[in-house]
């Protein structure tokens, strides 16, 4: 996933953190992506076997939220918007909270 996509997905899922684990001590796994909600109520682990160009991953999800499904939906949203670069996004912060937006400050979503 390129930097613009990672940025967009992060804005769409502000309460989800991620960490990459290169070469975990797991047979057949080259890289593992960990996802978790900030309250630790839901998590996902996504494994890649290291095959160049592979588009299939092994996914485990736990908790009320299906985090990998949410990541896939956020990525699909970004693609549907025309794969916008970081410069088309904005952030508005007020005493009541923050809103992220794409192209139009009057639209967007709460953070």
């Amino acid at each position: 996933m390129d930097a613009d996509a990672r940025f967009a997905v992060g804005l769409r899922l502000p309460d989800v953190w991620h960490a990459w684990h290169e070469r975990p001590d797991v047979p057949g796994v080259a890289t593992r992506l960990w996802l978790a909600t900030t309250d630790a109520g839901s998590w996902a682990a996504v494994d890649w076997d290291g095959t160049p160009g592979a588009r299939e991953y092994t996914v485990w999800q736990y908790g009320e939220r299906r985090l990998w499904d949410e990541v896939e939906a956020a990525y699909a949203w970004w693609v549907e918007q025309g794969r916008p670069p970081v410069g088309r996004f904005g952030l508005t912060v007020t005493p009541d909270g923050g809103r992220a937006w794409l192209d139009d400050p009057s639209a967007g979503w709460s953070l």
Side-chain angles (χ1 to χ4, degrees):
M1 191 182 309
D2 69 26
D4 292 326
R6 286 193 307 269
F7 183 82
V9 168
L11 277 181
R12 299 294 291 185
L13 302 172
D15 66 335
V16 176
W17 63 263
H18 73 278
W20 292 98
H21 188 178
E22 300 291 333
R23 295 181 302 283
D25 190 18
V26 179
V29 177
T31 302
R32 175 171 284 165
L33 170 63
W34 287 102
L35 304 164
T37 54
T38 54
D39 68 3
S42 298
W43 61 263
V46 184
D47 290 345
W48 177 58
D49 67 5
T51 304
R55 306 291 272 177
E56 293 185 24
Y57 309 93
T58 302
V59 177
W60 290 274
Q61 300 187 85
Y62 174 82
E64 290 184 20
R65 292 176 57 184
R66 310 312 285 172
L67 295 183
W68 184 245
D69 297 346
E70 290 184 29
V71 167
E72 287 183 321
Y75 181 81
W77 173 87
W78 175 75
V79 170
E80 290 166 6
Q81 303 306 309
R83 299 175 182 258
V86 171
R88 287 183 48 199
F89 288 92
L91 178 65
T92 301
V93 179
T94 68
D96 298 325
R99 293 186 57 76
W101 43 270
L102 174 63
D103 296 327
D104 180 2
S106 67
W109 57 95
S110 297
L111 297 174

